[in-house]
Short mmCIF file of all heavy atoms in Angstrom, two decimals:
data_model
loop_
_atom_site.label_atom_id
_atom_site.label_comp_id
_atom_site.label_asym_id
_atom_site.label_seq_id
_atom_site.Cartn_x
_atom_site.Cartn_y
_atom_site.Cartn_z
N MET A 1403 -40.91 53.77 -55.29
CA MET A 1403 -42.08 54.26 -54.56
C MET A 1403 -42.57 53.27 -53.51
O MET A 1403 -43.36 53.64 -52.63
CB MET A 1403 -43.21 54.56 -55.54
CG MET A 1403 -42.97 55.76 -56.43
SD MET A 1403 -43.00 57.33 -55.53
CE MET A 1403 -44.76 57.49 -55.22
N SER A 1404 -42.12 52.03 -53.60
CA SER A 1404 -42.54 51.03 -52.61
C SER A 1404 -41.74 51.23 -51.33
O SER A 1404 -40.88 52.08 -51.23
CB SER A 1404 -42.33 49.61 -53.15
OG SER A 1404 -40.96 49.36 -53.36
N ASP A 1405 -42.05 50.41 -50.33
CA ASP A 1405 -41.28 50.47 -49.08
C ASP A 1405 -41.01 49.06 -48.60
O ASP A 1405 -41.27 48.10 -49.31
CB ASP A 1405 -42.02 51.28 -48.01
CG ASP A 1405 -43.44 50.78 -47.77
OD1 ASP A 1405 -43.65 49.56 -47.85
OD2 ASP A 1405 -44.33 51.60 -47.53
N ASN A 1406 -40.45 48.93 -47.41
CA ASN A 1406 -40.12 47.61 -46.90
C ASN A 1406 -41.17 47.13 -45.91
O ASN A 1406 -40.88 46.44 -44.95
CB ASN A 1406 -38.74 47.60 -46.25
CG ASN A 1406 -38.65 48.54 -45.06
OD1 ASN A 1406 -39.46 49.46 -44.94
ND2 ASN A 1406 -37.67 48.32 -44.19
N GLN A 1407 -42.44 47.52 -46.17
CA GLN A 1407 -43.53 47.05 -45.33
C GLN A 1407 -44.54 46.30 -46.17
O GLN A 1407 -44.84 46.68 -47.30
CB GLN A 1407 -44.22 48.22 -44.63
CG GLN A 1407 -43.42 48.80 -43.46
CD GLN A 1407 -44.25 49.76 -42.64
OE1 GLN A 1407 -45.17 50.38 -43.15
NE2 GLN A 1407 -43.94 49.87 -41.37
N VAL A 1408 -45.08 45.24 -45.62
CA VAL A 1408 -46.17 44.49 -46.24
C VAL A 1408 -47.22 44.22 -45.18
O VAL A 1408 -46.96 44.35 -43.99
CB VAL A 1408 -45.67 43.15 -46.83
CG1 VAL A 1408 -44.66 43.41 -47.93
CG2 VAL A 1408 -45.08 42.26 -45.76
N THR A 1409 -48.40 43.83 -45.64
CA THR A 1409 -49.48 43.50 -44.71
C THR A 1409 -49.47 42.00 -44.47
O THR A 1409 -49.52 41.22 -45.42
CB THR A 1409 -50.84 43.94 -45.28
OG1 THR A 1409 -50.81 45.34 -45.54
CG2 THR A 1409 -51.95 43.62 -44.30
N ASP A 1410 -49.39 41.60 -43.18
CA ASP A 1410 -49.35 40.18 -42.88
C ASP A 1410 -50.75 39.59 -42.89
O ASP A 1410 -51.74 40.27 -43.19
CB ASP A 1410 -48.64 39.93 -41.53
CG ASP A 1410 -49.37 40.58 -40.36
OD1 ASP A 1410 -50.58 40.90 -40.49
OD2 ASP A 1410 -48.73 40.76 -39.29
N GLU A 1411 -50.85 38.30 -42.54
CA GLU A 1411 -52.14 37.60 -42.61
C GLU A 1411 -53.15 38.15 -41.62
O GLU A 1411 -54.35 37.92 -41.75
CB GLU A 1411 -51.92 36.12 -42.37
CG GLU A 1411 -51.24 35.80 -41.05
CD GLU A 1411 -50.94 34.33 -40.90
OE1 GLU A 1411 -51.11 33.59 -41.89
OE2 GLU A 1411 -50.56 33.93 -39.78
N ASN A 1412 -52.68 38.89 -40.61
CA ASN A 1412 -53.58 39.48 -39.61
C ASN A 1412 -53.95 40.91 -39.94
O ASN A 1412 -54.58 41.60 -39.14
CB ASN A 1412 -52.93 39.43 -38.22
CG ASN A 1412 -52.68 37.99 -37.77
OD1 ASN A 1412 -53.54 37.12 -37.98
ND2 ASN A 1412 -51.53 37.75 -37.16
N GLY A 1413 -53.51 41.38 -41.12
CA GLY A 1413 -53.84 42.74 -41.51
C GLY A 1413 -52.93 43.80 -40.91
O GLY A 1413 -53.22 44.99 -41.01
N GLN A 1414 -51.84 43.36 -40.29
CA GLN A 1414 -50.92 44.31 -39.67
C GLN A 1414 -49.73 44.58 -40.57
O GLN A 1414 -49.26 43.69 -41.28
CB GLN A 1414 -50.43 43.74 -38.32
CG GLN A 1414 -51.53 43.43 -37.33
CD GLN A 1414 -52.27 44.70 -36.89
OE1 GLN A 1414 -51.65 45.73 -36.64
NE2 GLN A 1414 -53.59 44.59 -36.80
#
Side-chain angles (χ1 to χ4, degrees):
M1403 290 291 287
S1404 64
D1405 53 36
N1406 62 339
Q1407 285 191 332
V1408 297
T1409 302
D1410 62 19
E1411 57 185 9
N1412 297 319
Q1414 302 295 318

